[in-house]
Amino acid sequence: MSALCTLGPRAFWPLLSGLCAALLCLHLALRGGGGGGARAEPPDGAHGGLPLLRAAALLLLGFLLLRGRRALRQRLPPGAARPGGRPALRPGPSAEPGLGVLLRSYYERELRLSPHVLGHSKAHVSRVVGELVRAGPGPGPGPGGAPAPAFRGDFVRVGSAYERHKTRRPDGFDVLVPLRLPPPVALEPRGLGAEPALPPALLGCFVCALRAPAGASGGRWLRDCRPFADGFCVDVRGRRHLSAALVLRWFQSHLQRSLAAVRYRLEGRCRVSLSPGGPERPPTLHILPCRTDYGCCRLPMAVRLVPAVHLGDGVFLVAPPPPPWPAGPPPELPGGLRADALWAVNTSRQEQRLLGGLQERAPPGACHLQCLQLLKALRDLGARGLDPTAAAQWGRILSSYVLKTALLAVLLRDGAAERGWDEAHLAGRLEELVRFLRDCLLRRRTLFHCVLGPGGAAADVGPLPRVLREAAPVDLLAAFDGHARELAAARLLSTWRRLPQLLRAYGGPRYLARCPAPRSQRAQGFPKDEP
């Protein structure tokens, strides 16, 4: 495994200066020692190298002055210079930058992605995944040689990298791989929002029963569909239902066969490998571009390949994430339901359309996507110092999807996308998002799914399948108990209050390091002293 080693500017310029000084000293030593011991005369010859030494010293001094001026300008916060060109610095603690300056500086140095590098990374992913899904469109054998699903031959780009709010590094991508079911198989999806006594974490799930297509003979359909049902379905309340766990198991083995078919064709461009997933975790494709590519594009990338069943109108069913059960075996589901028959809905196409519409209506320079990226950074900073259990719970409650849904809810409320979201109000808008999340965690508001909500954004996302239009509203935070939500709200407020200190300690330019680092938080859980 080869690794890409890059030399940052902080190390490059001192190294170059030292190399030039070493070459100058070597040159002077060779000139001075060229005559050996026989050269003991005129002092005029001894001064022959002084003009060269003086010129080199002047050049080195000028270079250091230019570098010092550039470093000084980098240390000054944005907007610190007056219109006349004189710096507006005042000695003393009053010269500390404000929160808006800290946020913009942290965003530029830690969160913002290079569009050039991101574009090349997405091009690599599209090329490799396109080859992979086109190599396996034919139906592969299922368990026992039964008819099996097949790749549809295309893929759907989802996730933050394609919604323009990814942060830090363009090295992680999510891709839906639509499946085509055998001809005699038809599905009858049904939402579980109205199921009695179902755990709140499962109210947004769906089940898919097999049904005969219109006009098909019942007896012949049962005979033709039986091999598929035996290999990919489970019994729920006397009917055969498509199992997400069995489909995911077949998907991983079919991916291995497809990768073996295209590995030789990809050798000249990149190295690829596949990490198998788990019962509720999709496999991951690892891509390492070859040395022949540009250096900026040689980032190792990980692509999560998610099998998806198309419901219609750009809506897909995928395997659900693991529910936040307490330690121990999962609880028994009521009404004869089975955990391996549950599916989650994926409405990424509708959410991308919604974000695109908001972007078009927003004025130039709107900062709502920048606020979402900073909100993710706030979550990551809040997880520092937590023990592993508390950090995992914190990440599940404030997942990236929850943060994106909160942003969409605030933008759609009272037409807020068209006013007050310019960069000058960045800190105020971020505080508004934090307070909205605090209210949702404390049950003062309900954070509904942006598509499966009461009214919500359904009118702005286009047509939806009937099963989604009739589904019950889904509360994204209903899976967490009141105590966990209160602790998360307290942690969120505590992180927001300490945000200037955290930004100075963990990122930003060097001038931010004047403030002391936050106090140690080793092995602590959620704070208990916050309201």
Side-chain angles (χ1 to χ4, degrees):
M1 177 68 73
S2 63
L4 174 66
C5 180
T6 58
L7 195 62
R10 294 186 181 181
F12 174 74
W13 290 111
L15 183 61
L16 180 62
S17 303
L19 182 61
C20 292
L23 290 175
L24 178 62
C25 292
L26 179 62
H27 172 71
L28 293 177
L30 290 177
R31 281 185 58 120
R39 188 177 171 189
E41 45 177 280
D44 295 338
H47 297 287
L50 286 181
L52 178 62
L53 179 61
R54 290 170 183 168
L58 288 175
L59 287 175
L60 183 61
L61 180 60
F63 169 75
L64 292 177
L65 287 175
L66 288 176
R67 290 294 303 166
R69 180 175 178 270
R70 182 182 176 187
L72 182 61
R73 293 184 63 182
Q74 287 181 345
R75 292 184 182 186
L76 294 179
R82 296 175 181 173
R86 295 184 179 180
L89 288 178
R90 293 190 300 270
S94 60
E96 292 294 339
L99 180 58
V101 172
L102 295 174
L103 289 173
R104 286 190 290 271
S105 176
Y106 188 83
Y107 171 79
E108 289 293 334
R109 291 178 175 266
E110 301 292 333
L111 304 180
R112 183 177 178 272
L113 288 178
S114 166
H116 173 78
V117 178
L118 180 61
H120 277 283
S121 298
K122 291 194 290 189
H124 275 301
V125 170
S126 297
R127 189 181 304 119
V128 174
V129 176
E131 293 261 6
L132 188 63
V133 299
R134 285 191 294 271
F151 291 167
R152 204 171 66 179
D154 62 337
F155 61 95
V156 180
R157 304 167 181 86
V158 298
S160 58
Y162 300 100
E163 295 173 354
R164 299 171 54 190
H165 55 83
K166 189 170 181 59
T167 60
R168 301 188 190 278
R169 288 171 58 86
D171 56 357
F173 299 86
D174 292 328
V175 167
L176 299 184
V177 182
L179 304 180
R180 184 174 63 242
L181 300 179
V185 176
L187 299 178
E188 184 181 328
R190 179 174 61 88
L192 300 179
E195 286 287 330
L198 195 67
L202 304 180
L203 291 176
C205 292
F206 290 75
V207 291
C208 291
L210 298 189
R211 65 171 178 85
S217 171
R220 183 177 179 181
W221 175 79
L222 287 175
R223 185 173 57 255
D224 293 343
C225 197
R226 182 180 297 276
F228 177 85
D230 291 341
F232 295 94
C233 298
V234 294
D235 285 323
V236 176
R237 298 174 181 173
R239 293 188 65 182
R240 304 293 275 173
H241 285 69
L242 189 64
S243 169
L246 295 177
V247 169
L248 184 58
R249 183 185 306 171
W250 167 87
F251 179 74
Q252 297 195 52
S253 61
H254 197 55
L255 270 181
Q256 292 282 8
R257 290 192 295 269
S258 300
L259 184 60
V262 301
R263 192 187 298 272
Y264 179 76
R265 293 205 301 266
L266 297 174
E267 277 184 354
R269 294 197 299 261
C270 59
R271 300 177 184 178
V272 291
S273 61
L274 190 66
S275 296
E280 297 168 324
R281 189 177 67 255
T284 302
L285 181 70
H286 299 277
I287 305 173
L288 180 63
C290 293
R291 291 182 179 274
T292 54
D293 290 282
Y294 293 105
C296 65
C297 309
R298 291 193 55 246
L299 291 172
M301 292 163 282
V303 186
R304 290 200 318 155
L305 302 173
V306 184
V309 177
H310 191 208
L311 285 184
D313 298 317
V315 178
F316 295 89
L317 291 179
V318 298
W325 304 127
E332 192 78 18
L333 298 183
L337 290 174
R338 296 182 51 165
D340 53 354
L342 302 181
W343 293 82
V345 67
N346 185 286
T347 56
S348 295
R349 283 272 184 90
Q350 285 71 23
E351 293 157 18
Q352 291 174 5
R353 192 177 301 127
L354 185 59
L355 279 172
L358 291 172
Q359 182 73 18
E360 291 177 359
R361 295 199 302 268
C367 65
H368 54 277
L369 292 180
Q370 190 174 347
C371 279
L372 179 56
Q373 293 169 301
L374 288 168
L375 196 59
K376 293 180 183 179
L378 177 70
R379 174 200 59 193
D380 297 340
L381 291 172
R384 291 180 178 269
L386 293 176
D387 60 77
T389 303
Q393 180 81 329
W394 169 260
R396 282 194 298 265
I397 295 176
L398 296 181
S399 65
S400 296
Y401 190 79
V402 166
L403 300 183
K404 182 179 74 172
T405 306
L407 173 70
L408 289 174
V410 172
L411 288 173
L412 292 171
R413 184 184 61 188
D414 304 327
E418 301 176 7
R419 55 179 176 80
W421 282 86
D422 53 292
E423 193 173 356
H425 300 89
L426 179 63
R429 298 287 78 82
L430 185 60
E431 182 179 6
E432 182 180 355
L433 284 173
V434 170
R435 294 189 181 281
F436 179 84
L437 276 172
R438 187 268 318 268
D439 292 344
C440 294
L441 290 169
L442 297 179
R443 302 182 189 275
R444 300 172 186 172
R445 300 176 184 268
T446 303
L447 186 61
F448 287 109
H449 191 284
C450 63
V451 176
L452 299 178
D460 299 325
V461 297
L464 294 172
R466 180 179 177 182
V467 64
L468 260 66
R469 295 196 304 267
E470 298 176 351
V474 176
D475 181 6
L476 295 182
L477 298 175
F480 305 100
D481 59 74
H483 182 63
R485 293 170 66 155
E486 289 176 3
L487 292 179
R491 181 75 179 180
L492 182 64
L493 286 181
S494 172
T495 306
W496 172 253
R497 291 167 184 161
R498 296 181 295 113
L499 187 58
Q501 290 79 18
L502 293 172
L503 293 178
R504 293 183 181 106
Y506 296 120
R510 289 174 297 222
Y511 78 93
L512 302 180
R514 291 180 290 180
C515 293
R519 51 199 177 97
S520 175
Q521 302 174 13
R522 290 182 294 108
Q524 65 172 346
F526 291 119
K528 300 180 180 179
D529 56 342
E530 294 285 344

